[in-house]
Amino acid sequence: MRNHVRSNVRLAGAAALALAQLAVIACDKMPLTAPQSSTLTVTSNALVLPINGSTEVSAFVAESGGTPVQNGTAVRFTTTLGRVDPVDAQTRNGMAITTFYAGDVSGVADIRATSGSIAAGTPAAGAAPANGVQISIGAAAVDTVTLRANPSFVPSRGGTVELIAGVLGAGGRAVSGVPVTFTTTEGTLSANRVTSDEAGEARTSLTTERTATVTASAGTKSSTAVTVTRRDPPPVPTVTLAATAGATTVGVGQLWSFTASVAGTDANTLPQRFKWNFGDDSEAVTNGNTITHVYTTPTVRRVVTVEVTMSNGETISAVTEIITGVF
């Protein structure tokens, strides 16, 4: 009987030892998670990514006193768009690190991290997730689209200009890998849809013979319209001189009237001064385009000239011939 009791005691002790060993093994296999009072902060090297871009995402886990949790604390990362690798990471000096891969779909990725009961909550509409970050991808990252033309005009016979669209995210940061659509009211584009480069620029060419209005858009954003102007050559001023004979007066002579008509002017080429040469060794200067002159020699051919000084300093001239009457 006594031996039977001793045997049962030994069996119970062995069983207890085995259970304790199993508990130790189970504990070794269970991941180490953050204590209840811990805090978890997620950061990303980039908050804007092009299509198929990637960035490092870090989660810092600290105990209530602010000290890093024990090395090897397990952290799980999740994302609503793209993927993270690795999904499960362990802390070193409180920091767990993964890589986010954006993939080929534009949108906003909510990336969260959890460790044990330190889990992400549900964010308010438009807010970043608790214990997480938001990364804008591709077209979703576009905040502003700019557009410029180089040069901003074509000659009257038509020509080609380069259109440069700038794709910018928050803070004016260039966004690459985003499709940009160009539109024009006149002419033809070498490409209507161009992907922004590493500098956030998309370029195409416009060939037109008329003044054109062009725009560029990316995602939900559009540029301010830019006008490419057809630049006509400046007008070439000309002048014609008309002469009208008046009555003859015996002993006095004959009165003639002259009118200088200037055409082809603009705001930069207005007539300012008229210099008249009447062909009889007499001259006159006026601000107006008309003048009269009395000839005292009858039946003589005279060559009359007017020289017009324009507001830009250039001069033009005209000539006419007259024959004085009998008096």
Side-chain angles (χ1 to χ4, degrees):
M1 181 68 178
R2 207 178 275 175
N3 289 336
H4 181 67
V5 171
R6 288 176 181 172
S7 177
N8 287 339
V9 170
R10 283 197 297 270
L11 287 173
L17 180 59
L19 289 172
Q21 290 174 340
L22 287 173
V24 170
I25 293 171
C27 287
D28 288 341
K29 290 184 177 180
M30 289 182 61
L32 177 64
T33 57
Q36 284 285 346
S37 57
S38 299
T39 58
L40 191 156
T41 305
V42 180
T43 57
S44 173
N45 287 351
L47 298 179
V48 172
L49 287 177
I51 294 293
N52 295 319
S54 63
T55 186
E56 185 178 276
V57 176
S58 304
F60 180 72
V61 190
E63 295 182 4
S64 58
T67 58
V69 294
Q70 183 176 339
N71 285 347
T73 297
V75 176
R76 168 157 288 196
F77 294 92
T78 60
T79 180
T80 58
L81 191 64
R83 65 184 178 90
V84 288
D85 188 20
V87 172
D88 296 307
Q90 294 183 342
T91 61
R92 181 176 180 81
N93 297 324
M95 192 73 74
I97 298 173
T98 189
T99 300
F100 171 71
Y101 297 92
D104 58 1
V105 177
S106 293
V108 178
D110 288 342
I111 303 172
R112 308 186 190 187
T114 59
S115 179
S117 62
I118 309 302
T122 301
N131 297 345
V133 292
Q134 288 184 328
I135 297 180
S136 298
I137 304 164
V142 180
D143 184 64
T144 305
V145 179
T146 63
L147 180 64
R148 68 184 190 276
N150 183 31
S152 60
F153 63 90
V154 294
S156 59
R157 65 183 181 277
T160 300
V161 301
E162 185 180 34
L163 302 176
I164 307 104
V167 183
L168 305 175
R173 180 176 179 178
V175 182
S176 62
V178 176
V180 178
T181 300
F182 295 88
T183 59
T184 180
T185 58
E186 298 289 346
T188 58
L189 296 164
S190 59
N192 297 78
R193 191 173 175 87
V194 183
T195 300
S196 61
D197 59 19
E198 291 183 358
E201 293 185 340
R203 298 170 182 258
T204 190
S205 296
L206 169 68
T207 302
T208 182
E209 296 179 352
R210 299 180 179 180
T211 295
T213 301
V214 292
T215 56
S217 60
T220 61
K221 305 297 182 179
S222 295
S223 71
T224 301
V226 170
T227 300
V228 177
T229 306
R230 187 184 78 170
R231 180 173 291 180
D232 293 325
V236 178
T238 59
V239 58
T240 57
L241 180 57
T244 303
T248 59
T249 303
V250 178
V252 175
Q254 185 179 24
L255 180 69
W256 283 77
S257 299
F258 300 97
T259 301
S261 299
V262 180
T265 62
D266 60 15
N268 298 316
T269 54
L270 297 175
Q272 288 189 324
R273 179 175 177 267
F274 296 81
K275 182 178 180 181
W276 311 86
N277 186 309
F278 301 107
D280 61 354
D281 296 328
S282 60
E283 294 182 342
V285 175
T286 63
N287 293 326
N289 69 325
T290 61
I291 196 171
T292 60
H293 180 67
V294 175
Y295 289 92
T296 58
T297 304
T299 63
V300 177
R301 183 185 298 273
R302 301 294 187 186
V303 177
V304 182
T305 303
V306 64
E307 182 182 86
V308 185
T309 302
M310 310 301 289
S311 55
N312 61 357
E314 295 183 359
T315 59
I316 55 176
S317 61
V319 175
T320 191
E321 290 186 359
I322 66 167
I323 298 175
T324 59
V326 178
F327 50 86

